[in-house]
Amino acid sequence: MQREWTGFYLDGQVANRQRATIQLLPNGLYITTESGKTLSWAYNDIRQTQGFYAGEQVRLEHGGPITEVLLVSDAAFLSGLYQLVPRLASRLHDPSRRRTRGLLTLLAATAAIGIVVVAFRWGIPAVVAFAAPRVPVAWEKRLGEAVVAQIVPPEHRCDDPILQRRLNEIFAALTAPIPRSPYTFQVIVADDPTLNAFAAPGGSIVLLRGLVERTATPEEAAGVLAHEAQHVIKRHSTRALLQHASTGLLVGTLTGDASGIAAFGLDAARTVGLLRYSRDHEAEADAEGMRMVLAAGIDPSGMIAFYELLAREGPAIPGVLEYASSHPSTAQRIERLRALSAGAPAPSINWGDAEEWVTVRTRCRAESQPPSPEATPS
Amino acid sequence: MLNTMRCAKCGLTQLVTPTCKSCGTASGHPSRPPSLRLVPPSTPAAPIRSVVEPLDTSPASPPPPVDDGIEGHQTQRLSFHGIGGSLFGIYLVNIFRTLITLGAYHFWGTVRVRAYLLSESEFEGDRFAYHGTGRELLNGSLKAGFVFGVLIVCFNALPFLPGPGAQFAGAAIAYGLFLVLVPVAMVGARRYRLSRTSWRNIRFSFRGRTRDFVALFVGHFLLTVLTLSFYYPIFATKRYAFLVSHSYLGNQSFGFDGRGRDLFGSFLLAVLLTLPTLGLCWFWFLARKQRYWWDHTSFGAARFHSTVTGGRLLRLHAGNLLLFVLTLGLGWAWVVVRQVRFAFAYLAIEGPLDLGAVRQEAQGATATGDGLDSLMDMDSGFAVG
């Protein structure tokens, strides 16, 4: 067994290295440098910081905070050391276990894949289901206000009092049968020609002018409002946000990217604006929206008629309730709405003739620009 | 060896100077201006490289033994021995441990990656070493997270301020804070990483004052905005000069003598060619900038020299992008290895390295700047310069 080795000694004071001979003793290393200095390092005071991979020199450090260093190029030095002092094999690196390390790495990778799959499939939904009902309404409101302020700044809103009063009446009729809601709803009309609507967490429902103008009757508008109100009540935005955040956290953990998580924190409002509801959430908002319409005594055929309009024009119009595009077919949703409304009692609310609505629904445009006959939807 | 001497008292071999660097004993050699130090007495002043290189290649004068205190009269290079497979293994184990510790292991994993990359980097027969710990990174990240959290609150509070005046003032403060944090993070990360990096057991350090860098950064950033970014090459070079010239190995500092205006022509050309070349010309500007910066960086009497070209940079980045995308990000480890190999392949250090004069002078540093740096995604890198 080789008891004497050569290497280099770095004293931690100057950048020159000195040749050194190292003798393996039962209790420690005895080092003689080329300048004649002799050192005794007890094994318990030695740490190994390099030499874990093929080609790396074995680096032993002693003392601190600025250490002395011993470098030995031949990895067989370690095997020789373990023959003399077997207990060191568990404390320092053992080159003969590199194959095991490879296997353990493979095992870790397999386990990591398993954990990620489980986390995506069950972990995140469980976290969302647990956390969403516990998010204070005040937080939702504050976030929702920030979203609305960003997406629909005040100068892009229609503040026509007649249209606003009419929509508020429709919404009041919808919410009248609801016993008690922690949300204070607010209906906002945005001056935008797109056929779209969305609900911000906390209770703000935004209808774009393009959508209001395409509703043939107040009942159709009521259907849209009921659908959006259910997104708020069922906390779909908050759930989507939690889902997005926990997915981001998981991906950030995988990639070690802290900046992504930080950027999310900086711009939560914009993120909410870009979120899409899941298919389940849409189905729930449809069903609960229809129940809301029926409970209020509003004619359900209005809601169905508007979905039929979406089915006809949906794909052709960019951004049409954009989430609609993630659904295999609007026809299926219409089928479900019909099934839900079948056998409903006759509506108790009658909002008068459709012609009056036709003048009210275009008031937003009348306010923002002079009316032009060709621009009025037929 | 015409330009070395051995001290009669302490025996240290070193560059010819009037007094010994180690013990101060008079050597009997006349004093010379520093720029002529490398030149043998019989030779008139000439470009450093042309004088230095023949000394090595001459068969009559074999290369000096590694440990005589004066190293490298020849061109020396950094070499990287790491392989993508090993780094990928570290990465896989890190992911596993990070997942089962709910993210806490991330910092210890970062230490393992940095330690691997430095341990596989070699200069003059010795590897670099990393001395940071996961606990330091965790503490730094928590502090940075707090600072960043305050900033996030500031930004999110903006819409709730009463009136456009208050909102404008709030935005100015929040963006101002952000503008100050960027240089603080850059300097902090550099200070921390250099203080935890060593070569031959001598620690690197960064000794520039944070407030000086903030003043430089903010002032020149605003100038860059005001000049519609035409001031950029000067700004970037001043920034680089500050970071390099306050960097040390032991007690010896790195030096930088470049001027940003020398890059202005290339910058202007790159701006003009952006449209016709679909932006690809910027690789050539980047290469020109790297070459210029390195060629004006020195350590003692030795100078760095870069031979990187735009075409090679373009090939590197295109290859990395392909590698990363085709492997869905799993090729990350190989991308990193390619990058380090590339950086070392086109970098040389020329002239004598007076390592006998380098003495330990470690400096303290906290990891807060490092944490801010990773939160702001400005990876400042670990390499000197």
Side-chain angles (χ1 to χ4, degrees):
Chain A
M1 183 171 66
Q2 190 179 345
R3 288 287 181 89
E4 195 167 293
W5 298 80
T6 55
F8 287 103
Y9 168 73
L10 300 170
D11 63 3
Q13 300 304 317
V14 292
N16 286 334
R17 60 182 193 181
Q18 299 183 40
R19 280 181 203 289
T21 52
I22 305 141
Q23 282 179 288
L24 309 185
L25 301 178
N27 291 326
L29 301 175
Y30 187 74
I31 302 147
T32 314
T33 69
E34 63 182 315
S35 64
K37 194 172 168 184
T38 57
L39 305 151
S40 290
W41 288 5
Y43 290 130
N44 288 341
D45 301 338
I46 295 175
R47 289 180 302 123
Q48 185 185 354
T49 55
Q50 278 177 1
F52 307 116
Y53 293 91
E56 266 183 34
Q57 57 205 350
V58 174
R59 179 185 172 108
L60 299 177
E61 298 194 7
H62 181 264
I66 296 298
T67 55
E68 295 170 277
V69 169
L70 200 57
L71 300 167
V72 185
S73 310
D74 192 349
F77 165 76
L78 286 175
S79 328
L81 190 58
Y82 302 150
Q83 275 181 21
L84 184 69
V85 195
R87 69 183 165 88
L88 287 179
S90 57
R91 210 160 65 76
L92 306 180
H93 173 71
D94 187 352
S96 66
R97 288 201 296 241
R98 279 185 193 158
R99 180 177 277 276
T100 323
R101 181 175 65 190
L103 288 175
L104 285 175
T105 303
L106 262 178
L107 207 64
T110 318
I113 292 171
I115 293 172
V116 170
V117 168
V118 169
F120 269 110
R121 184 70 185 78
W122 293 285
I124 290 177
V127 167
V128 171
F130 175 82
R134 287 167 177 78
V135 174
V137 173
W139 291 11
E140 288 189 306
K141 272 180 86 163
R142 216 169 310 154
L143 182 62
E145 280 162 17
V147 173
V148 172
Q150 199 163 52
I151 300 179
V152 197
E155 62 269 23
H156 291 147
R157 295 180 195 177
C158 298
D159 46 7
D160 178 74
I162 297 174
L163 176 63
Q164 190 68 53
R165 194 168 59 233
R166 201 62 215 276
L167 288 172
N168 287 349
E169 276 169 22
I170 296 172
F171 198 75
L174 271 175
T175 48
I178 299 179
R180 194 175 57 86
S181 167
Y183 297 103
T184 319
F185 286 97
Q186 183 196 8
V187 180
I188 296 166
V189 180
D191 187 8
D192 187 303
T194 319
L195 173 47
N196 206 348
F198 65 88
S204 296
I205 295 173
V206 180
L207 303 179
L208 303 192
R209 169 168 64 78
L211 182 138
V212 177
E213 287 174 355
R214 307 299 287 274
T215 53
T217 60
E219 284 79 4
E220 290 190 11
V224 174
L225 287 172
H227 175 95
E228 296 301 333
Q230 287 302 329
H231 279 314
V232 174
I233 293 167
K234 299 290 176 193
R235 301 186 156 197
H236 289 158
S237 292
T238 309
R239 282 168 201 272
L241 187 63
L242 284 171
Q243 167 112 21
H244 179 86
S246 33
T247 308
L249 211 62
L250 188 60
V251 172
T253 306
L254 288 179
T255 57
D257 180 16
S259 62
I261 299 166
F264 173 79
L266 258 186
D267 215 359
R270 196 182 300 277
T271 312
V272 173
L274 295 171
L275 285 176
R276 297 283 162 263
Y277 299 118
S278 73
R279 185 184 297 192
D280 291 346
H281 287 175
E282 286 301 344
E284 188 178 36
D286 281 352
E288 294 301 317
M290 177 53 90
R291 289 201 186 98
M292 202 178 190
V293 165
L294 294 174
I298 298 168
D299 185 356
S301 61
M303 186 170 179
I304 295 170
F306 189 75
Y307 275 66
E308 282 167 347
L309 172 84
L310 281 184
R312 280 196 307 277
E313 303 192 12
I317 303 167
V320 173
L321 296 173
E322 275 185 38
Y323 33 84
S325 61
S326 73
H327 293 256
S329 89
T330 315
Q332 260 180 18
R333 296 172 72 183
I334 295 170
E335 277 312 304
R336 273 191 228 120
L337 289 182
R338 281 192 204 286
L340 277 170
S341 61
S348 57
I349 289 183
N350 182 6
W351 275 310
D353 62 314
E355 265 175 46
E356 184 251 343
W357 174 250
V358 169
T359 47
V360 171
R361 68 179 187 184
T362 51
R363 289 196 60 90
C364 177
R365 177 179 306 208
E367 171 207 355
S368 60
Q369 63 191 64
S372 59
E374 61 270 30
T376 312
S378 52
Chain B
M1 309 295 288
L2 289 169
N3 56 344
T4 63
M5 64 173 198
R6 196 174 171 84
C7 173
K9 191 177 171 199
C10 67
L12 179 73
T13 307
Q14 57 197 291
L15 282 174
V16 173
T17 49
T19 53
C20 172
K21 283 194 172 207
S22 174
C23 62
T25 311
S27 66
H29 288 279
S31 174
R32 264 178 230 160
S35 60
L36 297 180
R37 260 189 205 170
L38 305 169
V39 184
S42 56
T43 316
I48 291 172
R49 274 167 220 152
S50 65
V51 175
V52 170
E53 282 166 2
L55 282 177
D56 299 323
T57 48
S58 156
S61 63
V66 176
D67 306 305
D68 69 352
I70 307 283
E71 296 179 16
H73 290 215
Q74 72 268 51
T75 296
Q76 296 168 79
R77 291 184 181 279
L78 290 148
S79 51
F80 186 70
H81 303 274
I83 51 172
S86 296
L87 187 59
F88 186 57
I90 294 175
Y91 180 53
L92 288 176
V93 174
N94 281 351
I95 287 181
F96 172 69
R97 293 188 180 170
T98 306
L99 283 172
I100 59 170
T101 56
L102 301 177
Y105 187 78
H106 169 74
F107 305 100
W108 282 263
T110 305
V111 167
R112 277 172 51 103
V113 170
R114 287 182 186 172
Y116 178 77
L117 292 176
L118 283 172
S119 297
E120 298 300 328
S121 302
E122 181 185 318
F123 182 68
E124 281 288 285
D126 276 293
R127 304 289 178 101
F128 289 78
Y130 183 67
H131 304 274
T133 64
R135 180 181 288 268
E136 284 171 358
L137 288 184
L138 172 65
N139 286 341
S141 200
L142 289 177
K143 286 185 209 158
F146 175 77
V147 174
F148 211 67
V150 169
L151 198 67
I152 288 175
V153 169
C154 285
F155 272 104
N156 282 327
L158 285 181
F160 303 107
L161 290 177
Q167 280 187 4
F168 181 77
I173 291 172
Y175 281 104
L177 212 61
F178 192 77
L179 187 58
V180 168
L181 269 187
V182 170
V184 167
M186 283 172 81
V187 161
R190 190 175 182 86
R191 196 186 304 284
Y192 174 75
R193 290 184 203 179
L194 286 183
S195 78
R196 299 299 187 271
T197 304
S198 74
W199 178 77
R200 290 247 172 114
N201 207 15
I202 300 294
R203 297 287 181 102
F204 288 86
S205 58
F206 179 76
R207 308 190 190 173
R209 287 199 309 185
T210 303
R211 78 180 98 134
D212 292 346
F213 188 64
V214 169
L216 181 150
F217 187 93
V218 172
H220 289 85
F221 175 80
L222 294 178
L223 256 177
T224 307
V225 173
L226 285 178
T227 57
L228 306 173
S229 90
F230 280 102
Y231 190 72
Y232 168 79
I234 296 158
F235 171 41
T237 305
K238 281 203 186 289
R239 212 164 60 191
Y240 179 81
F242 186 92
L243 293 176
V244 167
S245 59
H246 291 93
S247 296
Y248 286 72
L249 171 63
N251 62 348
Q252 192 158 346
S253 94
F254 288 78
F256 182 74
D257 58 4
R259 294 167 313 174
R261 57 170 175 250
D262 293 345
L263 288 173
F264 188 72
S266 323
F267 179 75
L268 205 60
L269 192 65
V271 170
L272 291 174
L273 291 178
T274 298
L275 275 183
T277 63
L278 302 173
L280 290 179
C281 60
W282 285 98
F283 283 102
W284 275 262
F285 174 71
L286 198 65
R288 163 89 177 104
K289 188 177 81 174
Q290 284 183 5
R291 281 199 309 272
Y292 181 82
W293 281 359
W294 277 119
D295 289 357
H296 288 83
T297 302
S298 59
F299 180 73
R303 291 195 84 85
F304 290 83
H305 177 54
S306 166
T307 49
V308 69
T309 63
R312 289 171 185 149
L313 261 185
L314 174 61
R315 264 216 305 274
L316 171 79
H317 284 283
N320 282 351
L321 187 70
L322 267 180
L323 190 57
F324 195 78
V325 171
L326 292 182
T327 59
L328 303 174
L330 289 176
W332 171 84
W334 285 270
V335 169
V336 171
V337 166
R338 273 168 56 97
Q339 266 168 338
V340 180
R341 278 189 202 282
F342 183 89
F344 288 1
Y346 297 106
L347 183 64
I349 298 157
E350 296 174 340
L353 274 171
D354 187 3
L355 295 175
V358 175
R359 299 190 167 271
Q360 185 78 275
E361 262 186 25
Q363 310 280 315
T366 66
T368 312
D370 198 74
L372 269 179
D373 192 73
S374 27
L375 277 176
M376 295 162 120
D377 199 17
M378 309 186 300
D379 196 13
S380 307
F382 65 84
V384 176

